[in-house]
Amino acid sequence: MDTARYKAFLTSAETGSFSKAAEILCYTPSGVSQLVTALEKEFDMCLFHRSKKGVTLTACGQKLFPLIQHLLKQEQNIYQTVSELKGLQTGTVTIATYFSIAMYWLPKVIQKFQQHYNQIYVKLMEGTHKEIDSWLKSGQVDMAFMSYISPMKYDWISLAENAMVAVLPKNHILAKNKSYPLSYCHNDKFIMPEQGRDDDVMAMFQRNNITPNIYFSTVETFTTMPMIEQGLGISIMNELVTQRWEYDVVKLPLDPPQYITLGIAALDFKTLSPAASRFLKYAVTNLTQQQKSNI
């Protein structure tokens, strides 16, 4: 089956530009435009709104997007399976992940994985919990490294428990304490990442019946650290994300202690492509061993 038109459609939709799609697909912009136009003629409907700023999907295009995305993923799975049957190990694995996991867990796993499977391409998409959830739902990624939040609507493998910590300015009244009482979040100026609603942190507050005094919000957790350093407020985050940060701040365990579970999620582990299945098994084995060695 000739899928060039579908690939042109999908890449144009993802990049918002025929020119950018052309760069990725190694076509000319006019070539991509012609492929998309041919698909529109075949379907007898307009799939894109075109303007000087780029292209956006029409209502019809939006409805077709996940179907075409699924079709191309199945095509990829077919070729990967054929390669497996021929004794080859090729393919692409697309992984959604928190920035902290991308920084501290995955580089070593990917490096070791590619020593054995150097023809399998690994693509990382870093994002917040909300972004990762949307990528999983839409099928844009094969799997996600994220935290467990009930109810878990995906297939799930737990990897490790990670403590939540309070991050305070050095001049905070509790900076020299052994722990930070969670109840203080009622009054302290709280900096909330993930556009004002970090799902891990909000779930923790809900479990403990606490309403934080949210004074600032940021897009990402990393942005909060320099703000805390300047005395603008405090925040709570998982301990993994604070590793190797060289900021002049204080990190304290919470009272009562709070934890999140980090692991791997997928729509259905049984339907993963051969390349994704290989990576999943390799990641689980290596990260489990890594966590045991850290105990």
Side-chain angles (χ1 to χ4, degrees):
M1 180 173 62
D2 183 6
T3 56
R5 296 176 180 178
Y6 296 135
K7 290 174 182 176
F9 166 84
L10 191 69
T11 310
S12 298
E14 290 175 341
T15 60
S17 166
F18 288 156
S19 296
K20 291 179 181 177
E23 291 177 11
I24 295 171
L25 298 173
C26 297
Y27 292 146
T28 63
S30 62
V32 170
S33 179
Q34 289 171 16
L35 285 169
V36 171
T37 300
L39 187 63
E40 290 178 319
K41 288 181 178 178
E42 179 183 345
F43 291 164
D44 191 24
M45 63 180 62
C46 181
L47 301 176
F48 286 101
H49 298 296
R50 296 158 170 83
S51 70
K52 292 181 180 180
K53 294 182 179 180
V55 295
T56 57
L57 288 172
T58 62
C60 293
Q62 289 174 6
K63 289 184 178 180
L64 286 172
F65 180 88
L67 300 177
I68 291 175
Q69 188 179 55
H70 179 72
L71 183 149
L72 291 177
K73 179 160 288 198
Q74 291 308 307
E75 180 195 38
Q76 184 185 80
N77 290 349
I78 290 170
Y79 283 114
Q80 287 184 24
T81 301
V82 170
S83 295
E84 291 280 316
L85 294 172
K86 290 180 177 179
L88 302 175
Q89 296 158 353
T90 63
T92 300
V93 184
T94 305
I95 300 165
T97 176
Y98 289 161
F99 292 93
S100 55
I101 294 177
M103 289 178 66
Y104 304 124
W105 280 9
L106 292 183
K108 187 179 292 185
V109 172
I110 294 170
Q111 187 265 336
K112 289 184 177 180
F113 178 76
Q114 295 224 301
Q115 286 178 356
H116 296 89
Y117 309 108
N118 59 9
Q119 293 187 63
I120 295 179
Y121 174 68
V122 180
K123 177 183 177 182
L124 294 183
M125 295 174 62
E126 299 100 329
T128 64
H129 195 283
K130 295 180 186 66
E131 290 171 327
I132 290 173
D133 186 59
S134 68
W135 295 334
L136 272 173
K137 280 182 183 175
S138 66
Q140 286 182 256
V141 299
D142 295 300
M143 67 190 77
F145 288 74
M146 59 193 295
S147 58
Y148 183 95
I149 294 181
S150 183
M152 174 52 64
K153 49 197 172 185
Y154 306 109
D155 280 2
W156 175 261
I157 297 174
S158 294
L159 293 174
E161 294 289 307
N162 196 242
M164 300 291 279
V165 296
V167 184
L168 319 175
K170 287 192 72 175
N171 62 355
H172 192 279
I173 190 172
L174 299 179
K176 294 184 179 180
N177 280 29
K178 292 183 179 180
S179 62
Y180 178 86
L182 197 56
S183 59
Y184 265 61
C185 293
H186 283 303
N187 300 312
D188 267 335
K189 293 181 179 178
F190 195 88
I191 305 173
M192 180 67 78
E194 293 199 25
Q195 299 177 339
R197 187 176 173 83
D198 184 310
D199 288 339
D200 292 326
V201 175
M202 291 304 296
M204 176 195 67
F205 283 139
Q206 289 171 4
R207 287 194 304 270
N208 290 274
N209 296 315
I210 290 174
T211 303
N213 178 29
I214 300 175
Y215 209 79
F216 298 103
S217 64
T218 63
V219 175
E220 297 172 5
T221 303
F222 293 105
T223 315
T224 64
M225 211 54 113
M227 295 177 69
I228 296 169
E229 187 178 47
Q230 294 301 315
L232 294 175
I234 69 105
S235 193
I236 293 175
M237 55 196 73
N238 69 73
E239 192 172 29
L240 183 63
V241 81
T242 67
Q243 291 182 12
R244 303 181 194 173
W245 283 10
E246 297 180 359
Y247 289 100
D248 199 15
V249 296
V250 174
K251 293 186 292 184
L252 294 177
L254 295 174
D255 180 19
Q258 304 291 318
Y259 298 88
I260 59 171
T261 302
L262 298 176
I264 307 175
L267 285 174
D268 186 349
F269 287 133
K270 294 178 182 178
T271 60
L272 289 177
S273 69
S277 293
R278 285 185 180 275
F279 186 87
L280 176 67
K281 292 176 183 177
Y282 199 88
V284 170
T285 299
N286 281 265
L287 287 172
T288 301
Q289 293 173 349
Q290 183 177 317
Q291 296 309 312
K292 288 181 179 178
S293 67
N294 291 335
I295 296 175

